[in-house]
Amino acid sequence: MALPPTAVAEESASSLVHVAPLEELLEKGRHLFKAEGKQIAVFAGAAGVFACNNRCPHEGYPLMEGSLDKGCILTCNWHNWKFDLAGGETLVGGDKLRRYPVEIIDGEVWVDIADPPAGEVAAAALNSLRDSFRRHEYDRMAREISRLQKAGADPLDALRAAFSWTAERFEFGCSHAQAGAADWLAIRDDYAAGEAERLVPLVEIVGHLAWDTLREPAYPYPQESLPYDAGAFVAAIEAEDEAAAVARLRGALGAGLTFRDLEPALAEAALAHYQDFGHAAIYVQKTGELLDRLGPEAAEPLLLSLVRSLVYATREDLIPEFRAYGPALAAWDGQGKQAIGANDLLGLSVPKVLARVNASSGDRRALYDALLGAACWQFLHFDMDIMFASDKPVSLNVSWLDFTHALTFANAVRTLCGRHPQFWPQGLLQIGCFVGRNAGFVDKALDESPWRVEDPQAFLDGSLKGVLDHGRFEYIVSIHLVKLLTAVKAEVTAAPDAPWVPAMLAAVNRFLNEPLRRKHTLRTAKQALGFVAAEG
């Protein structure tokens, strides 16, 4: 329909751009023009006239060089992505192709290049981000978060949405994907310079969530709500009763309680046992830090995931190696007077470490320094032969990555028990479990000198900056680097003159620069054959 001349003039001055006479376009079949920083391709065929971005939304190759079938399906010939120019669907590929309205006015082709409302663009970016989770399209995730940010939205909305989308797909609750997010955001604030570096942590967080829930079905949370009662909440977690624990959590959220209101009960549940190899306490600490950054709108999915993980936490204190923990906690009186240092704990079994801890229970600061010092020395002296061996039993499948947990757990203990000191006995004895467990996997003769750090601040700053371009394929490895470095920075900052600082920094230096074996093909095969042979 032809517009009145005045209307055409007004539109042209604002968003309508003249392309070419229709007859000319029909003869050529396609036309490229530039306007306001946009490259727009116009195609004419039997199905009509269509306009779209010339840059393919996948990798930016020119769609003017694409193929248009007799209908309106445009193919990018670089990677065979296909776009329905009439309906707007991406038929093969992922990202949506932006299309522009076309008008034919008095035999002339005009294209409306006006941008859609920012809210519409942001909503579309979030929808497309969610779609990228189906195949874990990492580069697409980066593009969609960039589009969200370009639309003027808060880029952290991508995280809030992603935590909500994925909460039900974690069968056993919180993983490192949630637990490392706060540390990624801290690195973003403190070390990222420029848009690209500030984008990295957001994509890593979202990508990790997508990876951990890839092809997972939904595991819905119970919907019942009960009035919050801290004792009943902790009891439900202890009883592994997810329905009851979630009901109390929903009651708390409905009453307007925040994470900090719930933290005492969550810390109690997390430290009730030596469990989940220390992850329970770390997850509580990190969920709180993450909610401080994302705000209350992220509380429900993050707390549901956390509570589920506490309900399903493994109980290492029930296996023989750590069975001394319960009696040691019962024997704690906080009156032990024996002086203690890190060397007093090295080489001891779990029961002997716990007994030694109780003998020094009266000096909490000295005890923490001794335990952390021993853990740092063990981390520095990890025996690489253990990690590379292929002829050991399953019980000796120990990774250097495991040794990082003693440090990140100690940081969680100091943080949580600093706010809730009634849990110091549990926290200190559980650090002792790490020290006793790791005693058998160290190289006592290791030369420490190559790994000593002369400038702690420069080393930490450089290492934390470095994770923004870490190059590790596995999220589980990169997130351990992030969590370890963040915890180490926090510990060194809190006590720069502590006796364990040199060993801690040397250990991290060695860990960052020595090989980390993650796949054990021959060991797995040998252990499988031995296991099956023993089945009878």
Side-chain angles (χ1 to χ4, degrees), residues 4-79:
T6 54
V8 173
E10 290 171 3
E11 290 288 345
S12 299
S14 57
S15 60
L16 275 182
V17 174
H18 180 254
V19 177
L22 177 59
E23 184 177 348
E24 179 185 319
L25 180 62
L26 289 172
E27 182 181 342
K28 293 182 177 179
R30 58 189 66 192
H31 179 86
L32 176 68
F33 72 94
K34 299 179 181 180
E36 297 184 8
K38 302 176 174 72
Q39 285 189 30
I40 299 175
V42 184
F43 297 91
V49 179
F50 305 95
C52 64
N53 276 344
N54 183 44
R55 290 170 55 83
C56 177
H58 177 214
E59 291 187 354
Y61 289 104
L63 291 174
M64 276 290 289
E65 302 297 330
S67 302
L68 186 68
D69 69 10
K70 293 181 180 180
C72 53
I73 307 303
L74 175 63
T75 298
C76 178
N77 290 324
W78 271 263
H79 300 102

Side-chain angles (χ1 to χ4, degrees), residues 234-317:
V234 173
I237 294 172
E238 177 71 16
E240 300 182 49
D241 186 342
E242 179 181 306
V246 166
R248 298 294 180 182
L249 173 63
R250 291 193 185 280
L253 294 175
L257 298 185
T258 68
F259 174 85
R260 296 303 171 196
D261 297 318
L262 301 176
E263 188 181 66
L266 291 167
E268 180 180 352
L271 292 168
H273 308 280
Y274 182 60
Q275 58 185 345
D276 215 14
F277 204 44
H279 289 99
I282 295 170
Y283 290 174
V284 169
Q285 174 204 13
K286 294 304 176 181
T287 298
E289 293 177 5
L290 184 56
L291 284 171
D292 287 343
R293 292 178 175 274
L294 297 184
E297 55 266 51
E300 182 174 322
L302 287 173
L303 287 170
L304 285 171
S305 297
L306 175 62
V307 168
R308 176 175 278 178
S309 70
L310 293 175
V311 167
Y312 289 108
T314 55
R315 286 280 306 276
E316 283 81 24
D317 57 357

Side-chain angles (χ1 to χ4, degrees), residues 85 113 155 162 183 310 316 511:
L85 294 182
I113 66 169
D183 294 339
L310 293 175
E316 283 81 24
F511 182 70

